[in-house]
Amino acid sequence: MTTAVRPWVDDPFAEAMRTGRGPLWLRGADGSRRPLEVDRWCGPAAGADHGLLLRCLDSAEPALDIGCGPGRLVAELLSLGVPALGVDVTRAAVDRTAAIGGLALCRSVFERLPGEGRWGTALLADGNLGIGGDPATLLRRSAQLLGPGGRLLVEVEPRPTDERLTVRVEGPHGRLGPPFAWARLGADALVRTAATAAGLTEAERWSSHGRAFVALHRPER
């Protein structure tokens, strides 16, 4: 019997998490390639990351990093005294998070997680709004994880975008992982989807170092 190959778990991404380097791309069905910033993800928190970290510090509430990858944000938050947990489906990413002083679970965001309905802040950084290819479902699930008054900090595309894609992770020498659904949203598309699908409202938007972000708020009731 053949075991199904899973994107991010059995494809070149997992190898990049083990080695800490790329290059990697997301290859679209049309042959287009979008680089994945493996070196930045595997390095220390820097640049636009500090805006996310400062907002978590301001809240002083426990933070959940959804799709934490190699864990630079989780590790930095913990070093700053903010209780933080990462979740990622790739074991190599979770192991790398632990190796740099972070705390993470090898689990999907759609599985049962600790502290459901009590997290003060949740993060969807580094393109993780694309998880599952269905932003409405992901945002609804993220809202369930937040406590009343909690915030979801989301990295979005810098330009107006609202796309649903089928992509594959491509590594060096053209090795390809299995196809999977992905999504890309700009700020306006995110705010519309968050309001209609999850009851989240825009609290803030900002840009830094060529990256764009939106803070979404879960109502107190």
Side-chain angles (χ1 to χ4, degrees), residues 30-83:
D30 61 357
S32 62
R33 294 200 311 179
R34 180 181 179 88
L36 296 175
E37 298 182 77
V38 177
D39 292 344
R40 178 172 66 79
W41 298 344
C42 290
D49 293 338
H50 293 302
L52 292 170
L53 297 169
L54 285 171
R55 285 163 175 82
C56 293
L57 277 171
D58 287 345
S59 164
E61 295 286 338
L64 180 69
D65 188 359
I66 299 168
C68 67
R72 73 187 189 284
L73 297 176
V74 174
E76 186 66 18
L77 285 169
L78 287 169
S79 75
L80 293 170
V82 178

Side-chain angles (χ1 to χ4, degrees), residues 52 54-60 119-123 146-147 149-153 203-204 215-218:
L52 292 170
L54 285 171
R55 285 163 175 82
C56 293
L57 277 171
D58 287 345
S59 164
W119 292 97
T121 305
L123 305 175
L146 292 171
R151 296 184 304 171
L152 180 63
L153 307 181
E204 182 187 8
L216 300 169
H217 178 257
R218 179 186 165 180

Side-chain angles (χ1 to χ4, degrees), residues 7 11 25-29 32 36 166-170 176-180:
D11 64 16
W25 298 268
L26 281 186
R27 177 178 282 276
S32 62
L36 296 175
T166 298
V167 297
R168 305 172 81 176
V169 177
E170 180 178 348
L176 291 167
F180 59 97

Side-chain angles (χ1 to χ4, degrees), residues 13-15 23 26 32 55 59 74 87 95 105 143-144 157 162 165 178 187:
F13 178 77
E15 180 61 22
L26 281 186
S32 62
R55 285 163 175 82
S59 164
V74 174
V87 294
D95 290 345
L105 295 176
Q144 292 171 353
E157 295 297 316
D162 192 350
L165 312 163

Side-chain angles (χ1 to χ4, degrees), residues 12 28 52 87 114 116 127-128 133 140 145 167 170 188 198:
L52 292 170
V87 294
E116 295 202 10
N128 284 326
R140 193 176 302 118
L145 296 169
V167 297
E170 180 178 348
D188 290 341

